[in-house]
Amino acid sequence: MALMKILTYPDKFLKTTTKPVENIDGEIKKIINDMSETMYAAPGAGLAATQVGIDKRIIVYDGFPGEEKQTLKVMINPIILESSGTQLSENEGCLSVLDYTADVKRASHVLVEALDRDGNPLKFEAEGYLAIVLQHEIDHLNGILFIDRISSLKRQLYKKRIKKKQNNNG
């Protein structure tokens, strides 16, 4: 397994809408293993293939990040079939959006369908924290960052800060 480089905003690849996985082969399984290692090393609660520069609909996540009991989950070609209710995801952050968190409105309940790492169909409901993680990671596969879901004023302030940081480092 190998650590992968996590792309950070404003990398244009993060806006990519990914392509479905057609065949779960050795290459896909290696990507999943490398993504998992990268997510835990970061450390993060989830990681989408887009975040590591891969144009595939794959996410990995852990329902209990930072705890002794690791419960790695893999979803291939995930889609949200239904969502309902609203909840505030407080201080939502992202491995691709450095040094920034914001409150984001998310659905409180989602019904998700996907394939597991062996190609078996998954269909389940999630609520609370897990619903937030799944929405966040599936957004990545659709080229959406959490900062796209906050007020335009807050988003502009963040973009200005990043630009200033890039100018100071450049």
Side-chain angles (χ1 to χ4, degrees):
M1 292 202 276
L3 289 179
M4 305 168 99
K5 180 183 185 306
I6 297 174
L7 304 177
T8 55
Y9 179 86
D11 192 300
K12 300 242 183 290
F13 194 82
L14 292 169
K15 291 301 201 176
T16 301
T17 299
T18 53
K19 295 178 180 68
V21 172
E22 302 288 336
N23 183 23
I24 302 170
D25 55 15
E27 179 191 349
I28 295 297
K29 291 194 176 182
K30 180 182 182 338
I31 290 169
I32 290 167
N33 291 339
D34 291 349
M35 282 177 60
S36 304
E37 187 175 327
T38 302
M39 177 192 73
Y40 283 122
L47 189 67
T50 342
Q51 293 178 270
V52 289
I54 295 173
D55 186 9
K56 299 278 183 210
R57 295 190 72 76
I58 302 169
I59 62 172
V60 296
Y61 66 96
D62 188 328
F64 305 96
E67 292 186 16
E68 302 259 331
K69 176 180 84 171
Q70 291 186 336
T71 56
L72 178 72
K73 304 283 187 200
V74 174
M75 294 179 82
I76 299 171
N77 302 335
I79 54 170
I80 295 174
L81 298 173
E82 293 174 18
S83 59
S84 61
T86 55
Q87 65 180 327
L88 192 63
S89 171
E90 294 183 31
N91 295 320
E92 188 167 322
C94 178
L95 298 174
S96 292
V97 179
L98 300 177
D99 304 323
Y100 187 74
T101 61
D103 293 349
V104 181
K105 269 193 182 162
R106 297 275 186 190
S108 56
H109 183 268
V110 292
L111 175 62
V112 181
E113 187 176 74
L115 299 173
D116 69 11
R117 70 183 310 145
D118 298 315
N120 300 312
L122 299 169
K123 189 173 184 178
F124 63 93
E125 296 180 36
E127 54 190 23
Y129 177 72
L130 182 56
I132 290 168
V133 170
L134 293 174
Q135 290 169 82
H136 179 107
E137 299 309 331
I138 292 170
D139 269 358
H140 274 298
L141 300 180
N142 297 320
I144 299 167
L145 296 171
F146 85 93
I147 56 172
D148 296 325
R149 297 197 177 277
I150 61 176
S151 75
S152 59
L153 175 65
K154 286 181 181 172
R155 189 168 45 253
Q156 290 309 321
L157 290 171
Y158 176 72
K159 287 179 178 181
K160 266 188 193 154
R161 196 166 84 197
I162 290 299
K163 204 168 261 181
K164 187 176 179 183
K165 202 181 267 188
Q166 286 175 331
N167 291 341
N168 290 342
N169 293 339

